[in-house]
Amino acid sequence: MDLLRSEPMQFVQLIVPNESVHRTVSYLGDLGLFQFNDLNASRSPFQRTYAAQIKRCGEMARKLRFFREQMARAGLSPSSNSLAVADFDLDNLEVKLGEFEAELLEINGNNEKLRRNYSELLEYKLVLQKVGEFFHLAQSIAAAQQRELEVQQNGEGSIDSPLLLEQEMTTDSTKQVKLGYISGLVLREKSMAFERILFRSTRGNVYLRQAVVDGSVTDPVSGEKVEKNVFVIFYSGERAKNKILKISEAFGANRYPFTDDLGKQLQMITEVSGKLSELKTTIDLGQVHRSKLLQMIGHQYEQWNLLVKKEKSVYHTLNMLSVDVTKKCLVGEGWCPVFATNQIQNVIQKATFDSKSQIEAIFHVLQTKEAPPTYFRTNKFTSTFQEIVDAYGIAKYQEANPGVYTIVTFPFLFAVMFGDWGHGICLLLATLYLIIREKKFSSQKLGDIVEMTFAGRYVIMMMALFSIYTGLIYNEFFSVPFELFGPSAYGCRHTSCRDATTIGLIKVRDTYPFGVDPKWHGTRSELPFLNSLKMKMSILLGVAQMNLGIILSYFNAKFFEEKINIWYQFVPQMIFLNSLFGYLSLLIIVKWCSGSQADLYHVMIYMFLSPTDDLGENELFPGQQFVQVLLLLAALTAVPWMLLPKPFLLRKQNAERHQGRSYSLLHGTDDNLETKQHHSSPSHDDFDFSEVFVHQLIHTIEFVLGAVSNTASYLRLWALSLAHSELSSVFYDKVLLLAWGFDSWSIRIIGIAVFICATVGVLLVMETLSAFLHALRLHWVEFQNKFYAGDGFKFSPYSFSLLREEDE
């Protein structure tokens, strides 16, 4: 597996007989190494050959979605351990799915009717009970009042009493007013408005009584659980009755009949209770039958769903093939890796044999000038690093792939900013948990953030390992230095300097064997040595990575045989960058090795302002002034070297090419002539010298200014490393140590909890994300812009594995 260059690709033509074309495409989908080109791009989806079959598959997919919705409502899920896909014919599967859908729709319809009847009967029972209580209470009150009136009349009779009784008895019964009533249920939230509208519309000529129903009831219309009130309305006259009926309909009130006969009330309640019991039994039996049907569907749902998706994708792919003039075979074209040639040919032979075709399919490699797609063979470890590069842009065919170097440089630059071997161990433990249980997590549906973290588990593991390494170099464990590899090389002259950072310290032992000496950390207000080390190290790493990018541009130019880019892009860029910033890196290394006190800021500034002045005490090696003048002249020469020659050489090459085409003999067949016209390169008229020159001018200015800004951009390594160390120190000193200084264990426990939360939330989450994004920017902008075009397109083979990923 070679990640530096993409896999060699070939353009292939397939000529497949009609009787084996379906199996051929299906087997190629299982293989997943052939990318079909659409030969019918000018046709709409409805004009293509297999539009009817796609419509059938879409209808079956709709039925399967319906089954899944029904299973979800029933609290069931498709079986994940279904048997292997049976030999289902598409026609048989279509009939079977139709039968299941019809049966399920019938069950649902009957169940819906039964549930509605059940809800209506339940509401009717509530009306009979609550309104019956109204009438019983009213009759009890009326009887009590009648008895009280009779007692008063017998005890306190007067001379007018017989006359009054006689008048009441002789009153015409036809003039008495008979009241009607309407009963039902209304939503509790609408009951007050319902009462007000009734009062206003009838001008108060109704009598309304309501009773609250305990708990919620199922509405027969909507099927939802709602809270309702039972009401009974007494009215007089047909006009009032019509108003009440219209208002009840407007408020969605359900009305039910009621009789004031107590015997009939008891009889109706008994009948309703019996019907409710029967309906409950029927509904339960229907639910059992429905559950069994859904369980049977769920057992084979996954294989049916996968089969339908495969068939639909096969027909979509077949629509990309063109029909031969004889209409006995289909012609397809596409790309495949060279290494997959034998596999594809074996698949085609197998499809021919399984379909019992008498004619074998033809596998023919074509020559084309079309740009091939880019394909890198990756595994679960390298795929995430490759996706980091692909997010910037897909590599051009056979272009040098930054993903190879990203495997090492990306986690290393992250670790330079995150360096703390205590935090690195925490990251490593969390990542190892994801890696150990990756089989379980890969088969589960994870949230967006967890899924993204799980996908990048190997990147995070490398980041954690490099963070442990750089943390050991920085000698920081949650910001605390340790003497892991021996005692410090520095000691005090006398006891008065035991808390000093630099003053009063002398070297009393051999140099600390690995990483930063613990004494170099000093107090948190100075950090004299470690701070300077990180800043200079950032410049060295930046210049080294930018040089790597320019070297990769050389390999690209050499691979594509672009001699102009080698001599007029790679060489001047290397000269310019290293004459300035390469020289600065050299001065840093010389200063470290010699222990000189030279001021590098002064040296670099006056290298431009006064290159001939004496360096004095800032001189690091003999002849430094002469070397600086030569490097400055080389940097100034590199700028026109990048700008001027390349446009003129391109114009010269274009003129020679055009002259050669003008006087060349034309020979060959008509087919060759048509091929040349189809794949012809841009004509002489397409070359615009002014456009090329302006493009080269922009490129030169971008590189010159970018060399300065990109080098400064690498100082973010120093800044974020310093910020991470300072934040860790603040949490350790101002939270953990401060809480530990109290005698109360409760305060100590609270301090430990706050320290853990701050470390996890800020340093292990936010700082990790911040360092990740900065490392990403350094790779995309400062590193990849030196050599990486990223204007290719990805190899997208026809593969059934993508269907499973979509389901997940």
Side-chain angles (χ1 to χ4, degrees), residues 128-230:
L128 291 174
Q129 292 174 347
K130 296 292 183 180
V131 176
E133 292 176 1
F134 291 156
F135 276 78
H136 179 70
L137 179 62
Q139 290 174 355
S140 300
I141 294 173
Q145 290 177 350
Q146 182 67 27
R147 288 194 297 269
E148 183 180 353
L149 182 61
E150 291 177 355
V151 170
Q152 291 178 355
Q153 289 176 352
N154 293 331
E156 299 179 358
S158 64
I159 193 170
D160 296 329
S161 296
L163 296 176
L164 291 173
L165 292 173
E166 183 180 357
Q167 184 180 0
E168 290 176 0
M169 294 174 64
T170 58
T171 303
D172 189 359
S173 59
T174 58
K175 295 182 180 180
Q176 294 179 354
V177 177
K178 186 176 181 181
L179 297 179
Y181 53 87
I182 296 175
S183 58
L185 288 94
V186 68
L187 290 174
R188 189 173 303 169
E189 59 186 15
K190 297 181 179 180
S191 59
M192 296 302 296
F194 181 62
E195 185 174 354
R196 286 195 300 268
I197 295 297
L198 282 173
F199 183 81
R200 293 172 182 174
S201 61
T202 60
R203 298 182 180 181
N205 292 321
V206 294
Y207 177 68
L208 173 66
R209 288 292 304 270
Q210 295 192 57
V212 176
V213 177
D214 296 333
S216 57
V217 296
T218 303
D219 187 76
V221 179
S222 64
E224 297 177 355
K225 291 284 187 178
V226 292
E227 295 181 340
K228 290 189 174 184
N229 288 357
V230 174

Side-chain angles (χ1 to χ4, degrees), residues 359-422:
I359 305 174
E360 292 187 359
I362 299 175
F363 179 90
H364 181 54
V365 179
L366 301 178
Q367 299 297 324
T368 180
K369 291 186 178 180
E370 294 181 8
T374 302
Y375 175 53
F376 295 103
R377 280 191 286 178
T378 58
N379 52 36
K380 61 182 180 181
F381 178 79
T382 59
S383 59
T384 310
F385 292 98
Q386 188 62 48
E387 289 176 3
I388 290 175
V389 176
D390 292 346
Y392 176 84
I394 305 298
K396 189 170 58 177
Y397 179 65
Q398 295 284 290
E399 183 181 13
N401 181 22
V404 180
Y405 309 95
T406 302
I407 296 174
V408 176
T409 59
F410 184 85
F412 178 69
L413 291 185
F414 169 87
V416 171
M417 296 178 278
F418 193 77
D420 188 301
W421 62 279

Side-chain angles (χ1 to χ4, degrees), residues 470-491:
T470 55
L472 291 173
I473 292 179
Y474 294 161
N475 199 352
E476 291 188 5
F477 179 82
F478 294 98
S479 78
V480 179
F482 282 86
E483 296 182 346
L484 293 175
F485 303 100
S488 173
Y490 298 92

Side-chain angles (χ1 to χ4, degrees), residues 160-353:
D160 296 329
S161 296
L163 296 176
L164 291 173
L165 292 173
E166 183 180 357
Q167 184 180 0
E168 290 176 0
M169 294 174 64
T170 58
T171 303
D172 189 359
S173 59
T174 58
K175 295 182 180 180
Q176 294 179 354
V177 177
K178 186 176 181 181
L179 297 179
Y181 53 87
I182 296 175
S183 58
L185 288 94
V186 68
L187 290 174
R188 189 173 303 169
E189 59 186 15
K190 297 181 179 180
S191 59
M192 296 302 296
F194 181 62
E195 185 174 354
R196 286 195 300 268
I197 295 297
L198 282 173
F199 183 81
R200 293 172 182 174
S201 61
T202 60
R203 298 182 180 181
N205 292 321
V206 294
Y207 177 68
L208 173 66
R209 288 292 304 270
Q210 295 192 57
V212 176
V213 177
D214 296 333
S216 57
V217 296
T218 303
D219 187 76
V221 179
S222 64
E224 297 177 355
K225 291 284 187 178
V226 292
E227 295 181 340
K228 290 189 174 184
N229 288 357
V230 174
F231 67 87
V232 58
I233 307 169
F234 296 92
Y235 62 90
S236 175
E238 287 295 323
R239 187 175 180 183
K241 179 182 178 181
N242 293 332
K243 289 182 179 181
I244 294 170
L245 293 177
K246 291 180 179 179
I247 293 171
S248 299
E249 291 178 1
F251 278 84
N254 299 327
R255 303 185 307 275
Y256 297 96
F258 183 79
T259 178
D260 53 359
D261 189 340
L262 182 59
K264 291 183 178 180
Q265 289 179 21
L266 296 175
Q267 182 182 356
M268 293 172 67
I269 291 175
T270 303
E271 292 177 357
V272 169
S273 299
K275 290 181 179 179
L276 283 173
S277 178
E278 294 176 0
L279 282 176
K280 180 65 175 175
T281 304
T282 306
I283 290 173
D284 291 341
L285 292 174
Q287 285 295 103
V288 172
H289 179 58
R290 182 172 180 269
S291 297
K292 289 182 179 179
L293 179 62
L294 290 176
Q295 287 175 359
M296 184 171 60
I297 293 173
H299 185 67
Q300 295 181 315
Y301 175 84
E302 292 295 342
Q303 64 183 34
W304 290 346
N305 187 43
L306 183 59
L307 179 61
V308 170
K309 285 191 173 184
K310 281 185 176 182
E311 289 295 320
K312 189 175 182 180
S313 66
V314 166
Y315 286 119
H316 270 298
T317 305
L318 289 175
N319 276 336
M320 300 170 69
L321 277 61
S322 63
V323 181
D324 186 66
V325 290
T326 62
K327 295 186 178 180
K328 294 182 179 180
C329 59
L330 294 178
V331 179
E333 294 179 358
W335 295 94
C336 69
V338 175
F339 73 85
T341 301
N342 293 332
Q343 300 178 52
I344 294 175
Q345 289 177 342
N346 293 336
V347 160
I348 293 174
Q349 292 176 2
K350 184 176 184 298
T352 303
F353 178 78

